[in-house]
Amino acid sequence: MAGTYAGLVNSPVGRKLATQLGLPRPATLRRYAVGEPLVEGSVLVGGLGPAPVAERVRALLKSEGIDTVDELADGDRVAAVVADLTEAAEPSDLDALRALVAPALRGLRPSGRVIVVGREPSSANGFAQAATRRALEGITRSIGKELRAGATANLVLVGDGAEANADAAVRFLLSGRAAYVDGQVVRVGPGTPTEPADWAKPLAGKVAVVTGAARGIGASIADVLARDGATVLCVDIPAAGDSLARTANRVGGTALQLDVTADDAGRQILDHATARHGGLDIVVHNAGITRDKLLANMDQARWSSVLDVNLGSILRMNEVLLADGGIRDGGHVVLVSSIAGIAGNRGQTNYGASKAGVIGLVDALAADEGLRARGITVNAVAPGFIETEMTAKVPFATREVGRLLNSLNQGGLPVDVAETIAWFSQDANAGVTGNVVRVCGQSLLGA
Amino acid sequence: MSPSASSSRSASRTSGQPRRAAVIGGNRIPFARQNAAYAKASNQDMLTAAIEGLVARHGLAGEQVGEVAAGAVLKHARDFNLTRESVLGSSLSARTPAYDVQQACGTGLEAAILVGNKIALGQIESGIAGGTDTASDAPIAVNEGLRETLLTLNRAKTPGQRVKALTGLRPSQLVPEIPRNVEPRTGLSMGEHMAQTAKQWGISREAQDEIAASSHHNLAAAYDRGFFDDLMTPFLGQTRDQNLRPDSTVEKLATLKPVFGRGEGATMTAGNSTPLTDGASAVLLGSDEWAQERGLPVLAHLVDAQTAAVDYVTGNEGLLMAPAYALPHLLARQGMKLQDFDLVEIHEAFAATVLTTLAAWESEEFCRDRLGLDAPIGALDRDRLNVNGSSLAAGHPFAATGGRIVASLAKMLHEKGSGARGLISICAAGGQGVMAILEAA
Ligand SMILES: NC(=O)c1ccc[n+]([C@@H]2O[C@H](COP(=O)([O-])OP(=O)(O)OC[C@H]3O[C@@H](n4cnc5c(N)ncnc54)[C@H](O)[C@@H]3O)[C@@H](O)[C@H]2O)c1
């Protein structure tokens, strides 16, 4: 972090200065490493009324050897709070959330977690319940902004009868895998999750393809999927073949030098996956480019290349990859959007179009009856400011603003995006489809 | 192993014929001109890069293959275990055995034949054959006189003996020896030798320039249609062969001054001779069963091979004419005619090498008197020759050329369809020539 804002304010002199000036000091985030517990410390679990999800969470944590407490004794410090507000129906019910969470915040351990569990507002009975359910989002996002020391707050909305399907989301959000996921809403619906035999290898036996795997976020996705047990087919353009080979050899996968905009890209990927690895379970459409210009100066080449790499190619590849004989039933498709696709960005009309298009595509695919019947989930991550070669090229001032304009006061790492994608790829997470989860440290952009 | 694989294996056993080694895939780094993109890269760097790309493409990280055989022509003394060191620096299992091969420009093809034969005999199930050469990072040796003085010094036991050894030093001995492209027994460069042969055969300047121009055009077209997407991995920022000139024309080539031969009859220029080049290549071979177990499609099989040598020292035969002598053995063994091959790859050491070889096979006199044949081998349809370009355009890092050709030809034959046959011809220093036949799987 030398030469960065974070490096400065965390140096002995800088730290003093930053405290005096009231400048934000980015924390070192707790990130997942194989073998580490979900959270370090006990977890406060409670909620309103029968709190059916809280009950499951207690069981889950017990199976992981993690202590849970129902209420806080004086001076108790917990690593996380899980608040089940699924029964909330009136605005007055929300005080249960305040009463449970508020006392825990001051003593929350570094990289602590607040997870609020609620129900989908659109399926509410009556005006009061709808308003109350939606209120949870406002509370959670505000908690996220209040928290310090790398702690995050997220909301899980659980469909009626889908309580069991929320386990994988709670696990993920508690863990170091979700280090840079903050202020997000995760929707859990129907589906038939299957738990892995070994939670250290949740993707064991699966075959994944990752496009744009030569470097940056894609290389990290390949690393994480392989760490979680998947066999990874790494795709990138022929000109990036040497870095692609490094990724593939590092993860013990295979390299396919291929431009995703080629007409037969989907066919080539499927043939390779089928011949070499016996099939395909996970598709990660990560390859993407930027060709920034103000719209006033935008030529056709910049416009169409971005739209074709970031969106057109995905549509074409999906025709083969998602057809019968393509990705196996129960498989997972993950797309990579961007906060620029949500908030828009000056000079990125082409990029913003493509990344907003990705969200539209996720919505439509997740709603597709055929894919639903086959149990195939489709989700997207929308990264915020992630430290890669792409963002290293951004001018210093803009870059520092990008790093700081979020609740965690720092940029994310490629691995943070990769962890979210790996979670979307779990069979245990089959209840999550049609989600767009931002990996942005609760960026102020488009929030 | 699938039932069909095991039955084919037992079938070949009962017929007494050894099985055929499969050519599964290949990888090379783009070739660079001497003292250019790879000026600072060593043979080991380049061979390792070629192997790494091959390993990635075929998913072999951590795997133990039967053996890796490769080599270099210009080699540092410290590189005595070049191939094994490259394997240790690669993602292959450290338990993969390796050895070096050296047969001048025939090294890469000879390595493939060696690996292929061991597979055919069932001694190994898989192997990698390769080659690398750098004309930039060339070994520089101390002058022979200095070397003798230093060895005497090393043997000296008393201070007096040491002083005596050192007084033998002469300033001229400090001039290092840089390897030269010269035949030790004739003192002539390979180009000068070729110029003599080209003159004997009356090979025209125009014909040579045509070969050169089409080599560039064919190679450029192959790149454009993505032919090399699964045969090449970029290296040090280089994504295409540095020597490639897609806009080369016979007219432009005609303006170059001859560099080999003398006077009126000199026809060989820098345009129709291969430049000194840096690069490396590797080919994956295996049994059909081994490939099938890994879901690796087989491109072609290694059908047969033949190496020949000629007595060029007496001037009785041209230095680079050995392949002409190897072919009849192959044809007789396989019951084939030259015209039966769908594709033919003749390494373009010089455009004139290709033309003299073809002329010799067409010559009734040569085929009768030198090859002992009743009838000439005959003409080759040029549409089948070096269809994706050859060394004039790609460049020729000596030991890397064999691997380049084996992998490319295997893929071309595969594209043509099962049963298509191809011939490879590579001439080498010392009056040798290596040939091999591949057949599409
Ligand atoms: N870095 C960030 O802050 C950030 C933020 C939001 C979204 N993203 C998205 O994340 C994804 C990865 O971004 P990154 O930062 O790692 O970028 P990167 O430029 O470091 O890597 C992108 C990779 O995709 C490959 N690629 C580009 N075009 C391709 C094509 N036609 N076919 C195959 N491969 C191709 C590139 O060669 C490169 O290896 C992109 O979709 C990007 O839009 C990144």
Side-chain angles (χ1 to χ4, degrees):
Chain A
M1 277 209 251
T4 64
Y5 173 83
L8 175 72
V9 298
N10 279 320
S11 71
V13 180
R15 192 177 306 151
K16 211 167 158 197
L17 202 70
T19 319
Q20 278 163 5
L21 296 175
L23 293 179
R25 197 145 55 81
T28 304
L29 303 183
R30 170 170 63 94
R31 289 194 166 87
Y32 172 75
V34 178
E36 281 186 6
L38 276 182
V39 287
E40 283 158 26
S42 54
V43 180
L44 173 64
V45 184
L48 178 74
V53 177
E55 208 41 58
R56 292 198 61 87
V57 171
R58 282 191 196 95
L60 184 162
L61 290 172
K62 190 170 178 216
S63 75
E64 289 288 320
I66 293 165
D67 289 338
T68 57
V69 292
D70 296 340
E71 55 189 35
L72 228 48
D74 255 4
D76 267 5
R77 297 191 68 188
V78 290
V81 187
V82 179
D84 180 354
L85 271 288
T86 47
E87 303 289 299
E90 298 285 335
S92 59
D93 290 342
L94 295 171
D95 188 56
L97 176 57
R98 185 203 58 78
L100 178 73
V101 176
L105 292 188
R106 221 173 282 281
L108 198 61
R109 292 182 184 278
S111 292
R113 299 284 186 262
V114 174
I115 298 176
V116 178
V117 184
R119 298 263 190 222
E120 184 61 59
S122 59
S123 65
N125 269 327
F127 303 131
Q129 193 179 38
T132 306
R133 287 181 174 186
R134 182 62 200 235
L136 293 176
E137 194 175 320
I139 301 172
T140 309
R141 288 185 195 275
S142 301
I143 296 174
K145 295 190 178 180
E146 181 178 331
L147 292 173
R148 291 290 175 264
T152 62
N154 293 289
L155 174 64
V156 180
L157 297 181
V158 185
D160 288 314
E163 289 75 16
N165 296 0
D167 286 3
V170 172
R171 253 177 201 282
F172 169 70
L173 291 170
L174 283 175
S175 76
R177 294 173 186 259
Y180 202 60
V181 176
D182 195 6
Q184 296 307 297
V185 181
V186 171
R187 291 182 163 79
V188 179
T192 36
T194 44
E195 294 236 336
D198 175 4
W199 269 106
K201 296 265 176 224
L203 306 179
K206 302 293 174 183
V207 180
V209 60
V210 179
T211 66
R215 63 175 207 187
I217 294 172
S220 202
I221 299 169
D223 285 339
V224 170
L225 296 183
R227 180 204 66 195
D228 282 356
T231 300
V232 187
L233 158 50
C234 307
V235 175
D236 212 299
I237 50 172
D242 40 354
S243 350
L244 182 69
R246 273 193 290 279
T247 304
N249 288 340
R250 189 173 63 238
V251 306
T254 52
L256 175 60
Q257 299 186 164
L258 170 71
D259 186 328
V260 295
T261 62
D263 285 336
D264 64 344
R267 176 51 50 200
Q268 283 204 49
I269 288 171
L270 187 60
D271 286 351
H272 182 115
T274 311
R276 305 284 185 87
H277 309 299
L280 188 59
D281 305 284
I282 298 161
V283 175
V284 183
H285 290 297
N286 162 76
I289 57 169
T290 52
R291 295 284 182 274
D292 297 357
K293 272 280 180 215
L294 294 178
L295 182 59
N297 305 325
M298 179 81 67
D299 56 32
Q300 203 250 331
R302 281 169 203 275
W303 184 264
S304 39
S305 62
V306 167
L307 273 155
D308 201 40
V309 175
N310 297 3
L311 187 58
S313 72
I314 299 176
L315 288 163
R316 284 195 300 277
M317 284 185 281
N318 281 354
E319 277 175 31
V320 178
L321 298 180
L322 304 191
D324 283 330
I327 187 170
R328 281 194 276 244
D329 289 359
H332 310 282
V333 182
V334 188
L335 282 72
V336 179
S337 180
S338 165
I339 49 172
I342 298 168
N345 218 355
R346 188 179 145 86
Q348 291 198 321
T349 43
N350 50 356
Y351 186 75
S354 70
K355 294 299 183 179
V358 160
I359 295 175
L361 181 55
V362 166
D363 288 345
L365 288 171
D368 182 77
E369 286 304 331
L371 292 176
R372 289 192 91 91
R374 290 168 60 197
I376 292 166
T377 69
V378 187
N379 295 286
V381 288
F385 184 95
I386 304 297
E387 309 278 359
T388 64
E389 281 176 53
M390 201 192 233
T391 48
K393 291 194 188 98
V394 174
F396 178 79
T398 323
R399 191 169 67 226
E400 286 308 311
V401 169
R403 282 192 176 126
L404 294 179
L405 276 189
N406 60 70
S407 297
L408 295 170
N409 299 126
Q410 58 190 296
L413 299 183
V415 68
D416 298 328
V417 181
E419 294 284 11
T420 306
I421 288 172
W423 165 63
F424 279 145
S425 307
Q426 293 173 2
D427 286 352
N429 199 27
V432 171
T433 188
N435 275 239
V436 178
V437 168
R438 296 168 45 145
V439 184
C440 66
Q442 197 174 26
S443 168
L444 297 181
L445 303 176
Chain B
M1 199 191 299
S2 81
S4 65
S6 57
S7 67
S8 75
R9 187 183 224 176
S10 53
S12 66
R13 280 220 184 109
T14 48
S15 73
Q17 286 284 318
R19 61 183 181 176
R20 286 173 175 176
V23 180
I24 298 165
N27 183 56
R28 69 179 176 99
I29 58 174
F31 295 164
R33 290 178 67 97
Q34 183 185 30
N35 294 323
Y38 306 162
K40 299 233 168 78
S42 69
N43 271 330
Q44 192 180 323
D45 294 339
M46 294 192 291
L47 182 58
T48 308
I51 293 173
E52 279 299 83
L54 189 76
V55 167
R57 187 161 300 141
H58 298 95
L60 301 177
E63 286 220 34
Q64 179 186 347
V65 297
E67 71 180 25
V68 180
V73 175
L74 294 179
K75 205 165 148 181
H76 291 268
R78 64 164 187 263
D79 284 342
F80 65 94
N81 228 348
L82 171 69
T83 310
R84 173 67 181 147
E85 287 300 327
S86 301
V87 166
L88 287 173
S90 79
S91 302
L92 287 170
S93 159
R95 296 175 57 205
T96 300
Y99 58 96
D100 283 22
V101 182
Q102 209 174 37
Q103 194 180 44
C105 305
T107 302
L109 183 54
E110 193 68 64
I113 295 166
L114 291 170
V115 172
N117 285 349
K118 283 200 190 179
I119 292 168
L121 288 176
Q123 293 169 349
I124 53 176
E125 289 300 310
S126 64
I128 293 172
T132 176
D133 253 291
T134 168
S136 306
D137 182 33
I140 291 181
V142 294
N143 179 300
E144 188 58 20
L146 177 59
R147 193 178 72 91
E148 276 169 16
T149 306
L150 292 174
L151 286 173
T152 311
L153 184 66
N154 195 37
R155 281 190 293 263
K157 292 200 172 70
T158 66
Q161 284 174 334
R162 285 198 193 99
V163 172
K164 191 162 171 243
L166 283 169
T167 49
L169 264 181
R170 296 284 170 275
S172 65
Q173 293 179 349
L174 296 176
V175 177
E177 280 191 4
I178 296 171
R180 292 179 305 150
N181 206 354
V182 159
E183 284 299 325
R185 289 177 188 277
T186 61
L188 289 180
S189 73
M190 196 175 267
E192 292 301 334
H193 270 288
M194 189 67 240
Q196 289 178 353
T197 318
K199 199 164 182 180
Q200 277 166 23
W201 284 93
I203 304 298
S204 76
R205 166 78 185 263
E206 293 71 35
Q208 294 178 48
D209 287 348
E210 274 167 27
I211 292 266
S214 61
S215 187
H216 284 280
H217 298 160
N218 288 343
L219 184 69
Y223 270 108
D224 289 346
R225 69 183 170 91
F227 180 75
F228 292 108
D229 284 357
D230 58 359
L231 290 174
M232 193 177 287
T233 308
F235 184 60
L236 300 182
Q238 205 61 35
T239 55
R240 283 190 172 203
D241 300 314
Q242 218 177 2
N243 190 55
L244 173 61
R245 304 264 178 286
D247 56 356
S248 173
T249 62
V250 175
E251 292 72 33
K252 276 192 221 169
L253 287 164
T255 63
L256 300 172
K257 284 204 173 55
V259 290
F260 298 115
R262 255 169 280 280
E264 276 302 281
T267 54
M268 291 170 53
T269 68
N272 59 39
S273 310
T274 45
L276 289 173
T277 331
D278 305 337
S281 67
V283 180
L284 178 63
L285 298 127
S287 65
D288 286 346
E289 296 84 356
W290 186 87
Q292 198 170 30
E293 279 161 17
R294 281 158 187 76
L296 293 166
V298 170
L299 299 176
H301 288 104
L302 182 58
V303 173
D304 204 349
Q306 179 74 42
T307 303
V310 295
D311 177 9
Y312 69 98
V313 184
T314 57
N316 179 31
E317 186 51 271
L319 177 71
L320 301 181
M321 290 302 284
Y325 289 78
L327 181 63
H329 296 281
L330 281 177
L331 295 182
R333 267 206 303 273
Q334 294 300 320
M336 289 180 71
K337 300 193 300 291
L338 173 62
Q339 295 72 18
D340 292 337
F341 289 101
D342 300 273
L343 294 167
V344 175
E345 288 285 319
I346 304 180
H347 157 54
E348 297 165 339
F350 305 89
T353 321
V354 178
L355 292 164
T356 48
T357 305
L358 292 177
W361 289 334
E362 284 176 39
S363 159
E364 203 175 329
E365 196 188 333
F366 179 90
C367 290
R368 185 188 59 224
D369 298 345
R370 303 280 175 123
L371 304 183
L373 301 174
D374 299 337
I377 287 171
L380 175 72
D381 178 354
R382 290 290 183 90
D383 292 347
R384 304 180 185 187
L385 177 66
N386 298 347
V387 297
N388 283 332
S390 183
S391 304
L392 285 169
H396 169 45
F398 312 119
T401 291
R404 170 183 72 75
I405 298 178
V406 170
S408 293
L409 179 63
K411 180 172 170 181
M412 286 184 251
L413 291 169
H414 185 68
E415 285 175 347
K416 281 214 171 288
S418 182
R421 282 200 165 194
L423 177 69
I424 301 172
S425 164
I426 296 181
C427 58
Q432 308 208 77
V434 192
M435 279 194 150
I437 296 176
L438 300 184
E439 182 181 292

